[in-house]
């Protein structure tokens, strides 16, 4: 699948905390093994109880739009041919209090509504500097 914002657009820099999110092809959310709190993006410690016993759990892959905007101004030169596009805040099913930010790729700019149910899709990319294969979460309305 081609990337919604273009195959030349910037890629995330992987680290041990974000690698499950950007490479697994599934929604992997970090949970605390001690207090069971979910947190996203992942951290080195639990933001609820400061435990360092953290694990990733696979989520069902759907969510609900909490907020959305249509971007009309290209904030980066590589996006000048991609505007307008949608950016949404998605509450992740199965991970209370956790939101992800992404594009809703199958709706016209400005057509995403709060409360819209969405499903995760994964855009393939290979980092030209490291050769790492990424599967970047994005969203489609369902
Ligand atoms: Zn905790």
């Amino acid at each position: 699948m081609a990337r919604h914002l273009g195959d030349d657009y910037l890629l995330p820099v992987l680290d041990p905390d974000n690698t499950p999110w950007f490479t697994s092809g599934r929604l992997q959310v970090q949970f605390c093994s001690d207090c069971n709190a979910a947190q996203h993006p992942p951290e080195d410690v639990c933001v609820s109880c400061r435990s360092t016993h953290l694990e990733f759990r696979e989520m069902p892959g759907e969510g609900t739009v909490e907020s959305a905007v249509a971007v009309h101004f290209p904030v980066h030169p590589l996006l000048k041919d991609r505007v307008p596009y949608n950016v949404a805040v998605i509450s992740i099913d199965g991970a209370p209090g956790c939101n992800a930010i992404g594009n809703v790729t199958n709706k016209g700019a400005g057509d995403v509504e709060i409360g819209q149910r969405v499903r995760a899709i994964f855009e393939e990319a290979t980092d030209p500097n490291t050769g790492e294969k990424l599967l970047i979460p994005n969203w489609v309305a369902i």
Side-chain angles (χ1 to χ4, degrees):
M1 168 187 301
R3 293 171 59 208
H4 184 65
L5 294 182
D7 290 335
D8 294 333
Y9 192 58
L10 308 174
L11 294 171
V13 176
L14 297 178
D15 63 37
D17 289 334
N18 70 19
T19 294
W21 182 260
F22 288 119
T23 65
S24 69
R26 296 178 176 88
L27 292 185
Q28 299 280 338
V29 173
Q30 190 179 51
F31 280 75
C32 176
S33 301
D34 290 327
C35 77
N36 207 37
Q39 58 188 20
H40 184 80
E43 301 281 349
D44 292 335
V45 298
C46 172
V47 296
S48 296
C49 76
R50 313 309 282 169
S51 170
T52 57
H53 301 123
L54 302 163
E55 63 185 4
F56 288 92
R57 298 180 191 166
E58 184 177 328
M59 298 295 101
E62 295 184 357
T64 302
V65 172
E66 298 293 333
S67 179
V69 297
V71 176
H72 293 270
F73 178 80
V75 295
H76 188 282
L78 290 174
L79 297 174
K80 69 180 172 62
D81 296 327
R82 298 294 173 174
V83 290
Y85 58 88
N86 295 306
V87 176
V89 176
I90 313 291
S91 64
I92 303 168
D93 285 6
C98 292
N99 293 328
I101 298 173
N103 306 118
V104 178
T105 64
N106 66 342
K107 293 287 235 178
D111 293 339
V112 178
E113 297 183 8
I114 293 172
Q116 171 72 55
R117 295 286 299 155
V118 292
R119 177 174 46 83
I121 59 171
F122 297 90
E123 298 180 342
E124 294 183 27
T126 301
D127 188 316
N129 299 316
T130 65
E132 294 167 316
K133 184 174 181 174
L134 295 100
L135 294 165
I136 303 169
N138 236 335
W139 304 89
V140 292
I142 52 178

